[in-house]
Amino acid sequence: MNVELETVLPTEIEKRSFEIITKELGNTPLVPGTEAIVKRCIHTSADFDYAKNLVFSEGAVEKALQAIREGASIVTDTQMAKAGINKQRLGQYGGEVHCFMADEDVREAAGKNGTTRATASMEKAAGLNQKLIFAVGNAPTALVSLYELIQSGKIRPELVIAVPVGFVNVVQSKELILSLADTPWIVAKGRKGGSNIAACICNALLYMLDQ
């Protein structure tokens, strides 16, 4: 079998990947200022649909960058997303990454109230006295809980990254976040997303601060 491989140095693979992504995007219109985020989602997933289904509230990127500069922390709904976020870079600005899903008090609260751990973990996050960015890549119930907490005035996120993947209430929960007028959001419309996408959006924001 004759297969022609492209010769690329290990240190140049990511750079070459982004060159390919940029070329294949061609003239696809992207919202100015969001290009790095969209391209990193495509790089993570090899899915060019993110050029169309990733949507941003007005000024969301600028507001998120400013929040990170001011020490905002990130709350995720999975340990996978937490593991994927560049904690060292976030820590340079004073922020931390939290995931409360495995906490004993979250488990107990979910059992007592008949909710998911994702719901209970968002409620726990609402008690943190700090600037927060929420990165949800798995649980629609986390988004529903966030929506209710925001509507009741119990929390005011600096940004909600709404990218859960799946079928049950995924689209509907994203629509709730899209309806928020005074909360910055980044949403992957439709069924696509995942913890890897949630983490890569956070990292894209962090890398933008170095530019």
Side-chain angles (χ1 to χ4, degrees), residues 10-77:
T11 55
E12 296 293 316
I13 291 175
E14 181 173 296
K15 178 183 176 182
R16 179 62 182 135
S17 296
F18 277 95
E19 289 173 351
I20 294 170
I21 290 167
T22 299
K23 180 179 179 180
E24 294 196 17
L25 279 172
N27 295 322
T28 303
L30 301 178
V31 177
T34 69
E35 297 93 341
I37 298 172
V38 173
K39 289 180 181 180
R40 189 157 290 277
C41 287
I42 295 171
H43 178 257
T44 294
S45 63
D47 188 342
F48 280 82
D49 282 353
Y50 285 105
K52 298 179 180 179
N53 67 21
L54 200 64
V55 294
F56 303 77
S57 64
E58 186 174 356
V61 173
E62 294 80 4
K63 293 172 184 176
L65 294 176
Q66 185 59 35
I68 294 171
R69 291 189 190 99
E70 294 174 356
S73 289
I74 298 172
V75 177
T76 78
D77 66 327

Side-chain angles (χ1 to χ4, degrees), residues 73-142:
S73 289
I74 298 172
V75 177
T76 78
D77 66 327
T78 64
Q79 294 293 340
M80 178 180 174
K82 179 181 178 180
I85 295 171
N86 192 322
K87 289 169 281 294
Q88 181 178 2
R89 191 161 298 200
L90 180 64
Q92 292 175 359
Y93 300 93
E96 299 177 282
V97 183
H98 303 287
C99 179
F100 301 126
M101 293 289 287
D103 290 7
E104 183 63 22
D105 58 342
V106 166
R107 184 191 67 79
E108 291 176 355
K112 178 181 178 181
N113 298 322
T115 66
T116 66
R117 291 194 187 190
T119 295
S121 69
M122 295 299 109
E123 292 171 347
K124 179 173 180 175
L128 297 177
N129 185 27
Q130 56 183 295
K131 294 178 181 291
L132 295 175
I133 290 171
F134 288 85
V136 178
N138 181 69
T141 55

Side-chain angles (χ1 to χ4, degrees), residues 29 118 120 129 144 200 205:
N129 185 27
V144 174
C200 90
L205 291 167

